[in-house]
Short mmCIF file of all heavy atoms in Angstrom, two decimals:
data_model
loop_
_atom_site.label_atom_id
_atom_site.label_comp_id
_atom_site.label_asym_id
_atom_site.label_seq_id
_atom_site.Cartn_x
_atom_site.Cartn_y
_atom_site.Cartn_z
N GLN T 154 -23.58 -8.07 0.30
CA GLN T 154 -24.12 -6.90 -0.38
C GLN T 154 -23.96 -5.64 0.45
O GLN T 154 -23.93 -4.54 -0.11
CB GLN T 154 -25.61 -7.13 -0.70
CG GLN T 154 -25.86 -8.18 -1.78
CD GLN T 154 -27.34 -8.38 -2.05
OE1 GLN T 154 -28.19 -7.81 -1.35
NE2 GLN T 154 -27.67 -9.16 -3.05
N ARG T 155 -23.88 -5.76 1.77
CA ARG T 155 -23.77 -4.58 2.64
C ARG T 155 -22.34 -4.22 2.98
O ARG T 155 -22.09 -3.40 3.86
CB ARG T 155 -24.56 -4.81 3.92
CG ARG T 155 -26.06 -5.01 3.73
CD ARG T 155 -26.70 -3.84 3.03
NE ARG T 155 -26.46 -2.55 3.69
CZ ARG T 155 -27.22 -2.08 4.69
NH1 ARG T 155 -28.25 -2.78 5.12
NH2 ARG T 155 -26.94 -0.93 5.25
N ALA T 156 -21.38 -4.82 2.29
CA ALA T 156 -19.97 -4.53 2.59
C ALA T 156 -19.44 -3.43 1.69
O ALA T 156 -19.79 -3.33 0.52
CB ALA T 156 -19.14 -5.80 2.41
N CYS T 157 -18.59 -2.57 2.27
CA CYS T 157 -17.79 -1.62 1.50
C CYS T 157 -16.33 -2.01 1.68
O CYS T 157 -15.93 -2.47 2.74
CB CYS T 157 -17.99 -0.19 2.01
SG CYS T 157 -19.53 0.57 1.48
N ILE T 158 -15.54 -1.82 0.62
CA ILE T 158 -14.15 -2.27 0.65
C ILE T 158 -13.24 -1.11 0.26
O ILE T 158 -13.47 -0.45 -0.76
CB ILE T 158 -13.91 -3.45 -0.33
CG1 ILE T 158 -14.80 -4.63 0.05
CG2 ILE T 158 -12.45 -3.88 -0.30
CD1 ILE T 158 -16.07 -4.72 -0.77
N LEU T 159 -12.23 -0.87 1.08
CA LEU T 159 -11.15 0.03 0.73
C LEU T 159 -10.01 -0.81 0.17
O LEU T 159 -9.59 -1.78 0.79
CB LEU T 159 -10.65 0.79 1.95
CG LEU T 159 -11.55 1.85 2.57
CD1 LEU T 159 -10.83 2.46 3.78
CD2 LEU T 159 -11.88 2.93 1.56
N LEU T 160 -9.52 -0.43 -1.00
CA LEU T 160 -8.31 -1.03 -1.55
C LEU T 160 -7.17 -0.04 -1.37
O LEU T 160 -7.29 1.12 -1.76
CB LEU T 160 -8.47 -1.39 -3.03
CG LEU T 160 -9.49 -2.49 -3.36
CD1 LEU T 160 -9.45 -2.82 -4.85
CD2 LEU T 160 -9.27 -3.75 -2.54
N LEU T 161 -6.09 -0.52 -0.78
CA LEU T 161 -4.94 0.32 -0.45
C LEU T 161 -3.66 -0.28 -1.03
O LEU T 161 -3.57 -1.49 -1.21
CB LEU T 161 -4.79 0.45 1.07
CG LEU T 161 -5.99 0.98 1.85
CD1 LEU T 161 -5.83 0.71 3.33
CD2 LEU T 161 -6.14 2.47 1.60
N GLU T 162 -2.69 0.59 -1.30
CA GLU T 162 -1.38 0.10 -1.70
C GLU T 162 -0.84 -0.83 -0.64
O GLU T 162 -0.99 -0.59 0.57
CB GLU T 162 -0.42 1.26 -1.90
CG GLU T 162 -0.65 2.08 -3.16
CD GLU T 162 -0.10 1.42 -4.41
OE1 GLU T 162 0.32 0.25 -4.34
OE2 GLU T 162 -0.11 2.07 -5.47
N LEU T 163 -0.22 -1.91 -1.07
CA LEU T 163 0.32 -2.90 -0.16
C LEU T 163 1.67 -2.43 0.39
O LEU T 163 2.58 -2.07 -0.36
CB LEU T 163 0.48 -4.24 -0.89
CG LEU T 163 0.99 -5.41 -0.06
CD1 LEU T 163 -0.03 -5.76 1.03
CD2 LEU T 163 1.24 -6.62 -0.95
N VAL T 164 1.79 -2.41 1.71
CA VAL T 164 3.06 -2.09 2.34
C VAL T 164 4.03 -3.24 2.10
O VAL T 164 3.68 -4.40 2.29
CB VAL T 164 2.88 -1.87 3.86
CG1 VAL T 164 4.21 -1.62 4.55
CG2 VAL T 164 1.92 -0.69 4.10
N PRO T 165 5.26 -2.97 1.67
CA PRO T 165 6.22 -4.04 1.41
C PRO T 165 6.43 -4.92 2.63
O PRO T 165 6.38 -4.44 3.77
CB PRO T 165 7.51 -3.27 1.04
CG PRO T 165 7.04 -1.96 0.56
CD PRO T 165 5.81 -1.64 1.37
N PRO T 166 6.70 -6.22 2.43
CA PRO T 166 6.85 -7.15 3.55
C PRO T 166 8.08 -6.85 4.40
O PRO T 166 8.22 -7.40 5.50
CB PRO T 166 6.95 -8.52 2.88
CG PRO T 166 7.38 -8.24 1.48
CD PRO T 166 6.79 -6.92 1.13
N THR T 167 9.01 -6.01 3.90
CA THR T 167 10.17 -5.65 4.71
C THR T 167 9.80 -4.72 5.86
O THR T 167 10.61 -4.48 6.74
CB THR T 167 11.22 -4.97 3.85
OG1 THR T 167 10.62 -3.89 3.11
CG2 THR T 167 11.83 -5.95 2.84
N PHE T 168 8.58 -4.20 5.85
CA PHE T 168 8.10 -3.37 6.96
C PHE T 168 7.36 -4.26 7.95
O PHE T 168 6.49 -5.03 7.57
CB PHE T 168 7.18 -2.27 6.44
CG PHE T 168 7.91 -1.14 5.78
CD1 PHE T 168 8.32 -1.23 4.47
CD2 PHE T 168 8.20 0.03 6.49
CE1 PHE T 168 9.01 -0.20 3.84
CE2 PHE T 168 8.88 1.07 5.88
CZ PHE T 168 9.29 0.93 4.56
N GLN T 169 7.72 -4.12 9.21
CA GLN T 169 7.14 -4.94 10.27
C GLN T 169 6.62 -4.05 11.39
O GLN T 169 7.20 -2.99 11.69
CB GLN T 169 8.19 -5.90 10.83
CG GLN T 169 8.72 -6.91 9.83
CD GLN T 169 7.66 -7.90 9.40
OE1 GLN T 169 6.83 -8.33 10.21
NE2 GLN T 169 7.66 -8.27 8.13
N PRO T 170 5.53 -4.47 12.05
CA PRO T 170 5.08 -3.72 13.24
C PRO T 170 6.17 -3.75 14.30
O PRO T 170 6.99 -4.66 14.34
CB PRO T 170 3.82 -4.46 13.66
CG PRO T 170 3.91 -5.79 13.03
CD PRO T 170 4.67 -5.63 11.76
N ILE T 171 6.14 -2.77 15.16
CA ILE T 171 7.25 -2.57 16.10
C ILE T 171 7.50 -3.79 16.97
O ILE T 171 8.66 -4.10 17.30
CB ILE T 171 6.98 -1.31 16.96
CG1 ILE T 171 8.19 -0.96 17.82
CG2 ILE T 171 5.72 -1.46 17.81
CD1 ILE T 171 8.07 0.37 18.52
N HIS T 172 6.45 -4.55 17.32
CA HIS T 172 6.66 -5.70 18.18
C HIS T 172 7.23 -6.91 17.45
O HIS T 172 7.57 -7.92 18.07
CB HIS T 172 5.35 -6.09 18.91
CG HIS T 172 4.25 -6.50 17.99
ND1 HIS T 172 3.67 -5.64 17.09
CD2 HIS T 172 3.58 -7.68 17.86
CE1 HIS T 172 2.70 -6.25 16.45
NE2 HIS T 172 2.62 -7.49 16.89
N HIS T 173 7.36 -6.83 16.12
CA HIS T 173 7.97 -7.90 15.35
C HIS T 173 9.42 -7.59 14.98
O HIS T 173 10.10 -8.44 14.38
CB HIS T 173 7.19 -8.17 14.06
CG HIS T 173 5.89 -8.85 14.30
ND1 HIS T 173 4.95 -9.06 13.31
CD2 HIS T 173 5.36 -9.40 15.43
CE1 HIS T 173 3.90 -9.68 13.82
NE2 HIS T 173 4.12 -9.90 15.09
N ILE T 174 9.89 -6.39 15.31
CA ILE T 174 11.27 -6.02 15.00
C ILE T 174 12.21 -6.83 15.90
O ILE T 174 12.07 -6.82 17.12
CB ILE T 174 11.51 -4.52 15.19
CG1 ILE T 174 10.66 -3.73 14.18
CG2 ILE T 174 12.96 -4.17 15.05
CD1 ILE T 174 11.04 -3.96 12.75
N ASP T 175 13.15 -7.51 15.29
CA ASP T 175 14.06 -8.38 16.03
C ASP T 175 15.01 -7.56 16.90
O ASP T 175 15.59 -6.56 16.45
CB ASP T 175 14.86 -9.22 15.03
CG ASP T 175 15.69 -10.25 15.73
OD1 ASP T 175 15.16 -11.30 16.13
OD2 ASP T 175 16.91 -10.01 15.89
N ALA T 176 15.18 -7.99 18.16
CA ALA T 176 16.06 -7.27 19.07
C ALA T 176 17.49 -7.24 18.55
O ALA T 176 18.22 -6.27 18.74
CB ALA T 176 16.01 -7.91 20.45
N ALA T 177 17.89 -8.31 17.87
CA ALA T 177 19.25 -8.36 17.32
C ALA T 177 19.44 -7.31 16.22
O ALA T 177 20.52 -6.75 16.06
CB ALA T 177 19.54 -9.76 16.76
N PHE T 178 18.36 -7.05 15.46
CA PHE T 178 18.43 -6.03 14.43
C PHE T 178 18.66 -4.65 15.06
O PHE T 178 19.51 -3.87 14.60
CB PHE T 178 17.13 -6.04 13.63
CG PHE T 178 17.01 -4.97 12.57
CD1 PHE T 178 17.80 -4.99 11.44
CD2 PHE T 178 16.11 -3.92 12.73
CE1 PHE T 178 17.70 -4.00 10.48
CE2 PHE T 178 16.00 -2.93 11.79
CZ PHE T 178 16.79 -2.97 10.66
N LEU T 179 17.94 -4.35 16.13
CA LEU T 179 18.14 -3.07 16.82
C LEU T 179 19.53 -3.00 17.44
O LEU T 179 20.19 -1.95 17.42
CB LEU T 179 17.08 -2.89 17.89
CG LEU T 179 15.63 -2.69 17.43
CD1 LEU T 179 14.70 -2.50 18.61
CD2 LEU T 179 15.51 -1.52 16.47
N ALA T 180 19.98 -4.11 18.00
CA ALA T 180 21.32 -4.12 18.59
C ALA T 180 22.39 -3.87 17.55
O ALA T 180 23.39 -3.18 17.80
CB ALA T 180 21.56 -5.46 19.30
N ARG T 181 22.20 -4.43 16.36
CA ARG T 181 23.17 -4.24 15.27
C ARG T 181 23.22 -2.77 14.84
O ARG T 181 24.27 -2.24 14.48
CB ARG T 181 22.80 -5.14 14.10
CG ARG T 181 23.86 -5.17 12.99
CD ARG T 181 23.63 -6.34 12.05
NE ARG T 181 22.42 -6.24 11.27
CZ ARG T 181 21.34 -6.98 11.46
NH1 ARG T 181 21.30 -7.87 12.44
NH2 ARG T 181 20.26 -6.84 10.70
N LEU T 182 22.05 -2.11 14.89
CA LEU T 182 22.02 -0.70 14.52
C LEU T 182 22.60 0.19 15.63
O LEU T 182 23.09 1.30 15.34
CB LEU T 182 20.57 -0.26 14.25
CG LEU T 182 19.91 -0.84 13.01
CD1 LEU T 182 18.45 -0.42 12.96
CD2 LEU T 182 20.63 -0.42 11.75
N GLY T 183 22.55 -0.29 16.87
CA GLY T 183 23.10 0.47 17.97
C GLY T 183 22.42 1.81 18.15
O GLY T 183 21.19 1.92 18.08
N SER T 184 23.22 2.85 18.34
CA SER T 184 22.67 4.18 18.61
C SER T 184 21.90 4.74 17.42
O SER T 184 21.07 5.64 17.59
CB SER T 184 23.81 5.14 18.98
OG SER T 184 24.75 5.26 17.91
N LEU T 185 22.12 4.18 16.23
CA LEU T 185 21.40 4.67 15.06
C LEU T 185 19.92 4.31 15.09
O LEU T 185 19.12 4.91 14.38
CB LEU T 185 22.03 4.13 13.77
CG LEU T 185 23.45 4.61 13.46
CD1 LEU T 185 23.97 3.91 12.19
CD2 LEU T 185 23.49 6.11 13.26
N SER T 186 19.54 3.33 15.91
CA SER T 186 18.15 2.88 15.95
C SER T 186 17.21 4.00 16.39
O SER T 186 16.01 3.94 16.11
CB SER T 186 17.99 1.68 16.87
OG SER T 186 18.30 2.02 18.21
N VAL T 187 17.71 5.02 17.07
CA VAL T 187 16.85 6.10 17.52
C VAL T 187 16.25 6.87 16.33
O VAL T 187 15.25 7.58 16.49
CB VAL T 187 17.60 7.09 18.44
CG1 VAL T 187 18.10 6.38 19.69
CG2 VAL T 187 18.74 7.79 17.69
#
Side-chain angles (χ1 to χ4, degrees):
Q154 290 179 354
R155 297 303 304 274
C157 283
I158 301 98
L159 290 179
L160 294 185
L161 303 165
E162 286 281 9
L163 183 64
V164 176
T167 52
F168 284 81
Q169 297 293 322
I171 188 171
H172 62 297
H173 287 172
I174 295 296
D175 187 79
F178 176 70
L179 293 181
R181 188 165 67 252
L182 292 175
S184 61
L185 293 177
S186 64
V187 299

